[in-house]
C-alpha cells in the first residue's frame, strides 16, 4: 500500500532542479549520487562503532544501490533520446505510430494511442531502430524524439502527478464536508453524517458531498478529468 502522506522535506525539490522542471539528465546524476551514498554507507557499516553484525543491512544497501544505478543509467539513456542523439523507430512492431503521429489514432490493444510514450516504449523504439540499422533493413524509417514529439508537452503532467493532485483534492473535500451542514441529516460543523437511526457514518450524504466537492473544485481550479486546470492539456 502506498503511503500518501508527504512531509515538507519530501515536497521541497528546489535543491534538485536548476530550472522549472527536472530534466532526465538531472535525474540521472542525482540518482548516481544516491547510489554512491548507499555504497559508502554499506562500506562504513562494515565496521560500526558498536559490535553488531550488519551483514544483512550491508547486503540490502548494496542491492538497493544496484537498483538505483540501473535506474540512473536508464535515465541517462533517456536523456540522450530526448536530446535527439538516439534514432528511434517511427512505429511500434504492431505498426502503431507514437508521438504527434499518434494523435487521432485508435490503439485499443495497449490502452490507447501512445501520444506520450513511456520509458519502456522509448527503449523499445531505440532497440528496434538499432536492430533495423544492424540488419540493413531498407525502407525502415527512423526519427528522433524532438521530431516525433513536436508540438506535444504543453500542459502535460505525468499520471503520478495527476494521482497525487487527486489525492490532495480528495483530502480537502473530506475536510470541507465536515464544515458544511448536511440538509439530509442535520449534521453540523465537525460532525459526521448520521444514519436514519442516528448512528454516525464514515460517508457523507450525497448532497453534502456534492457541495463540498464543488467548493473545493472551484478553489483548486479542478477541470474535468484533470486535478487542476491545465491549459491546453492533451
Amino acid at each position: 500500500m502506498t503511503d500518501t502522506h508527504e512531509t515538507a522535506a519530501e515536497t521541497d525539490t528546489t535543491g534538485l532542479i536548476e530550472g522549472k522542471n527536472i530534466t532526465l539528465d538531472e535525474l540521472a546524476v542525482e540518482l548516481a549520487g544516491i547510489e554512491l551514498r548507499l555504497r559508502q554507507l554499506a562500506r562504513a557499516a562494515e565496521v560500526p562503532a558498536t559490535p553488531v553484525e550488519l551483514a544483512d543491512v550491508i547486503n540490502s544497501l548494496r542491492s538497493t544501490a544496484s537498483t538505483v544505478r540501473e535506474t540512473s543509467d536508464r535515465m541517462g539513456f533517456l536523456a540522450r533520446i530526448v536530446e535527439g542523439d538516439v534514432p528511434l523507430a517511427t512505429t511500434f512492431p504492431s505498426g502503431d505510430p507514437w508521438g504527434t503521429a499518434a494523435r487521432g489514432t485508435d490503439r485499443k490493444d495497449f490502452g490507447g494511442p501512445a501520444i506520450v510514450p513511456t520509458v519502456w516504449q522509448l527503449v523499445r523504439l531505440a532497440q528496434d531502430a538499432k536492430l533495423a540499422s544492424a540488419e540493413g533493413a531498407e525502407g525502415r524509417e527512423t526519427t528522433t524524439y524532438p521530431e516525433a514529439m513536436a508540438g506535444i508537452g504543453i500542459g502535460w503532467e505525468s499520471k503520478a502527478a495527476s494521482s497525487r493532485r487527486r489525492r490532495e483534492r480528495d483530502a480537502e473535500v473530506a475536510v470541507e464536508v465536515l464544515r458544511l451542514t448536511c440538509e439530509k441529516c442535520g449534521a453540523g460543523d465537525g460532525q459526521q453524517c448520521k444514519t436514519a437511526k442516528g448512528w454516525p457514518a464514515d460517508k457523507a450524504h450525497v448532497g453534502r458531498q456534492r457541495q463540498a466537492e464543488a467548493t473545493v473544485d472551484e478553489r483548486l481550479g479542478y477541470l474535468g478529468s484533470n486535478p487542476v486546470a491545465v491549459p491546453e492539456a492533451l
Side-chain angles (χ1 to χ4, degrees), residues 36-126:
L36 176 59
R37 188 66 169 168
L38 287 168
R39 294 195 184 281
Q40 290 173 333
L41 284 170
R43 180 61 180 269
E46 291 179 358
V47 188
T50 305
V52 178
E53 180 51 68
L54 299 176
D56 290 343
V57 173
I58 293 169
N59 290 336
S60 177
L61 287 170
R62 287 177 174 152
S63 176
T64 302
S66 295
T67 300
V68 172
R69 185 64 189 186
E70 290 175 2
T71 306
S72 174
D73 291 343
R74 193 173 303 122
M75 291 302 102
F77 182 53
L78 285 173
R80 298 294 301 272
I81 287 178
V82 300
E83 289 297 324
D85 296 344
V86 181
L88 303 171
T90 57
T91 63
F92 297 107
S94 61
D96 291 308
W98 60 281
T100 305
R103 279 178 164 162
T105 63
D106 187 10
R107 188 168 176 263
K108 296 180 180 179
D109 292 341
F110 301 94
I115 297 174
V116 177
T118 66
V119 172
W120 295 112
Q121 285 174 336
L122 285 173
V123 170
R124 176 61 188 269
L125 290 166

Side-chain angles (χ1 to χ4, degrees), residues 141-166:
E141 296 182 3
T142 62
T143 185
T144 64
Y145 182 88
E147 291 173 350
M149 296 293 287
I152 293 178
I154 300 175
W156 178 84
E157 69 175 5
S158 68
K159 292 179 181 179
S162 294
S163 295
R164 172 177 55 77
R165 292 183 190 278
R166 178 172 288 278

